[in-house]
């Protein structure tokens, strides 16, 4: 992904210019990246990135089908999934006061994975472990619902194990434990039913290929709701950055606020993951990029991270569709390569200075 | 005296012929020399289990891998894990004088180091099935059986091809593997079978055996038939834009339950039966086809 629209920073220069100016620039940059990303997404079909073909497609007989039913929703959907992940990542890093926090930490990813594997392996498990009526019911539920329910169930288990969200360290530890356990259960199921493996892998690596207008409406409603809710808690997140004692002395009910925030980031993650699979790294890298370019209060950070996440996933999605067309790379592989390279570069910079 | 000589001759000659050393080269280029046909055989791949079975391994088969599920008789045998998590101790304890395994299996290197003779065979295509039949038949000490079974399979596939309705010959098929959507390409095992039945594939050969296709590509290609796992078939309508496909609208779909689906994609001696399954579905579609 080219981030060249952001000046390859000199922190001193930014500070001199003032953070407000930096934020304005970044907001403009993100907006531009999203617009260009959407345009490129619309111009990337099964022949790869081909703006010339786009006009032919638009005037062809199948325009409503190919562009209207498949390409437009998946392109817009990539932006929404990215925004949900970016927002959830920003909330997670605020709650844990840790720049390495990731929305998948609290057992939601493993829970979603287990839900998907259960649906895929239901037929193979039928008769032996579960009744055939249950199999029929599980298969009717479908992968999307199973992933959503699984993600929320994973987080609920984590919260139960940590007895609420008062202690962040306990919460993180519980998240890791639940993640390992649920992951082990889904691995066990794939041993019993090897034909669930390919579907599980496709889910683990993420894909925007199945996003339709219904999914978009759902995600847009979720994103709007979460943005409003998160903005209301922005001041609480700011107070948290000062430390727990300061936050308590400011009259913050830590347990309650954290629980609300954890539920928000879980809902955002569950929505994104159920529609597009476990897309890696966006939730981790988007808030980082924003903080590095244009630090500010959480009121800014939350919205900007959502925008940054949208831009990142849009571009990653275009790359995943264009690189080996008509085949596709799993979009999670592309985000992992982009995000990983960025973090490597960041570390090199840090050690050099 | 003459009678005694005759008796000696009768007693000794068969044992000479039976003790002909067997010499084969496996798919990794390793030369194997066996003094006599093996009596304790372990197979570590479902298609190899099936191959050995149709060639008359019978009671000489003492263990199979986790996924071998045909014929029903193998259910009673010890199951010894999968490709990469084979139970090395359990296999060694069976003291097999021959292990049949795939070329890509890490655990087998340990068994080779322990001094077991492990024959490594590739099974991904029709040609592989033919070569493997021949090789395993020679290992089992009935060298002509391989060609006989292969001839039977060829007859079965031809018979299946003959049952494909004329209206469906040359039609373009999209065969889906798992979610993804992954297509079974022209060069995959099932792709070869479809070609033998006179069907065309929407995935060109240069995309390799299992390309993960852009869904737009499938919709644009307008396949005449869609095949895959039964579970996925019901969800096809719900995929963005797929309800525009004539094959989906007119239900020109072949969905297979897991056991049948396994038979279809398993490169082994049930490929004739698998071709028959495909022909059954095509015949069904041919009679209901609204043209």
């Amino acid at each position: 992904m080219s981030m060249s629209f952001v000046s390859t920073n000199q922190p001193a220069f930014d500070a001199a210019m003032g953070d407000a100016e930096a934020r304005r620039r970044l907001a403009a940059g993100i907006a531009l990246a999203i617009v260009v990303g959407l345009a490129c997404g619309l111009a990337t079909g099964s022949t790869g990135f081909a703006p010339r073909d786009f006009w032919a497609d638009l005037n062809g007989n199948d325009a409503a089908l190919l562009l209207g039913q498949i390409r437009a929703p998946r392109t817009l959907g990539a932006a929404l999934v990215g925004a949900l992940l970016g927002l959830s990542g920003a909330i997670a890093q605020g709650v844990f006061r840790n720049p390495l926090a990731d929305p998948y930490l609290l057992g939601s990813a493993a829970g979603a994975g287990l839900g998907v594997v259960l649906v895929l392996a239901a037929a193979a498990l039928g008769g032996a472990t579960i009744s055939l009526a249950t199999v029929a019911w599980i298969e009717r539920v479908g992968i999307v619902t199973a992933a959503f329910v699984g993600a929320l169930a994973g987080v609920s288990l984590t919260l139960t194990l940590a007895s609420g969200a008062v202690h962040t360290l306990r919460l993180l530890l519980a998240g890791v434990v639940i993640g390992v356990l649920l992951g082990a259960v889904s691995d066990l199921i794939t041993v019993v039913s090897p034909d669930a493996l390919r579907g599980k892998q496709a889910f683990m690596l993420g894909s925007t290929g199945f996003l339709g207008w219904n999914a978009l409406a759902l995600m847009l409603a979720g994103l709007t709701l979460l943005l409003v809710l998160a903005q209301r808690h922005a001041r609480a997140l700011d107070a948290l950055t000062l430390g727990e004692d300061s936050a308590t002395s400011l009259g913050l009910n830590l347990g309650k606020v954290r629980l609300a925030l954890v539920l928000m980031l879980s809902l955002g993650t569950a929505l994104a993951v159920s529609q597009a699979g476990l897309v890696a790294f966006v939730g981790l890298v988007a808030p980082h990029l924003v903080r590095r370019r244009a630090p500010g209060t959480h009121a800014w950070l939350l919205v900007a991270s959502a925008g940054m996440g949208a831009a990142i996933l849009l571009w990653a999605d275009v790359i995943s569709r264009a690189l080996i067309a008509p085949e596709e790379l799993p979009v999670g592989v592309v985000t992992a390569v982009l995000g990983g390279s960025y973090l490597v570069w960041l570390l090199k910079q840090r050690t050099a200075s | 005296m003459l009678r005694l000589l005759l008796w000696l001759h009768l007693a000794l000659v068969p044992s000479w012929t039976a003790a002909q050393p067997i010499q084969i080269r496996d798919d990794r280029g390793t030369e194997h020399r066996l003094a006599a046909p093996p009596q304790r055989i372990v197979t570590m791949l479902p298609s190899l289990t099936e191959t050995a079975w149709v060639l008359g391994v019978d009671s000489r088969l003492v263990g199979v891998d986790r996924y071998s599920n045909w014929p029903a008789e193998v259910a009673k045998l010890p199951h010894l894990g999968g490709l990469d998590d084979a139970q090395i101790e359990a296999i060694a304890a069976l003291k097999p004088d021959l292990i049949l395994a795939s070329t890509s299996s890490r655990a087998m290197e340990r068994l080779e180091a322990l001094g077991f003779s492990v024959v490594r065979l590739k099974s991904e295509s029709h040609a592989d099935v033919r070569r493997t039949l021949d090789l395993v038949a020679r290992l089992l000490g009935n060298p002509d059986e391989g060609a006989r079974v292969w001839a039977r399979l060829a007859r079965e596939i031809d018979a299946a091809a003959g049952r494909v309705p004329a209206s469906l010959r040359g039609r373009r098929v999209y065969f889906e593997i798992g979610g993804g959507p992954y297509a079974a390409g022209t060069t995959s095992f099932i792709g070869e079978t479809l070609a033998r039945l006179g069907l065309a594939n929407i995935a060109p050969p240069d995309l390799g055996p299992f390309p993960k296709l852009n869904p737009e590509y499938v919709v644009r290609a307008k396949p005449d038939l869609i095949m895959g796992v039964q579970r996925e078939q019901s969800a096809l309508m719900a995929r963005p834009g797929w309800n525009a496909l004539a094959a989906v609208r007119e239900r020109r779909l072949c969905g297979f339950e897991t056991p049948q689906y396994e038979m279809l994609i398993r490169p082994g001696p049930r490929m004739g039966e698998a071709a028959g399954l495909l022909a059954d579905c095509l015949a069904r579609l041919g009679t209901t086809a609204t043209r």
Side-chain angles (χ1 to χ4, degrees), chain A residues 161-238:
Chain A
L161 186 62
S163 44
V166 182
H167 304 286
T168 39
L169 197 58
R170 196 185 289 174
L171 195 59
L172 277 180
L173 195 59
V176 170
V177 170
I178 294 294
V180 168
L181 281 176
L182 295 184
V185 175
S186 44
D187 287 344
L188 258 179
I189 295 175
T190 51
V191 164
V192 178
S193 164
D195 68 332
L197 264 178
R198 199 186 285 264
K200 179 192 173 188
Q201 194 204 16
F203 175 81
M204 291 283 173
L205 298 176
S207 164
T208 57
F210 297 124
L211 292 171
W213 290 111
N214 298 347
L216 250 68
L218 195 67
M219 286 196 291
L220 189 60
L223 181 65
T224 314
L225 173 77
L226 287 171
L227 273 172
V228 171
L229 284 175
Q231 280 300 354
R232 284 200 188 157
H233 286 75
R235 299 293 297 276
L237 282 166
D238 290 337

Side-chain angles (χ1 to χ4, degrees), chain B residues 172-245:
Chain B
R172 295 159 63 257
V173 66
Y174 165 62
F175 191 105
E176 186 169 281
I177 305 268
Y182 290 87
T186 324
T187 53
S188 65
F189 181 77
I190 180 70
E192 289 183 324
T193 307
L194 290 167
R196 282 287 305 273
L197 295 181
L199 294 169
N201 196 320
I202 66 159
D206 57 329
L207 293 185
F210 301 110
K212 180 179 161 69
L213 289 174
N214 184 330
E216 255 183 72
Y217 181 88
V218 180
V219 172
R220 208 187 275 264
K222 296 196 175 62
D224 301 301
L225 303 155
I226 298 178
M227 300 179 172
V229 189
Q230 183 62 47
R231 185 187 57 236
E232 295 281 342
Q233 301 273 300
S234 41
L236 283 180
M237 275 284 193
R239 289 189 193 168
W242 283 50
N243 52 3
L245 284 172

Side-chain angles (χ1 to χ4, degrees), chain A residues 6 8 11-12 32-33 36 83 114 149 165 187 216 220 225 238 262 294 310 324:
Chain A
V6 187
T8 24
L32 182 69
V36 176
L114 179 56
V149 173
D187 287 344
L216 250 68
L220 189 60
L225 173 77
D238 290 337
V262 164
I324 51 170

Side-chain angles (χ1 to χ4, degrees), chain A residues 62 65 69 71 120 326 328, chain B residues 212 214 216 222 231 240-241:
Chain A
D62 289 336
L65 171 64
Q69 289 296 314
R71 211 180 298 174
L120 291 172
E328 296 189 353
Chain B
K212 180 179 161 69
N214 184 330
E216 255 183 72
K222 296 196 175 62
R231 185 187 57 236

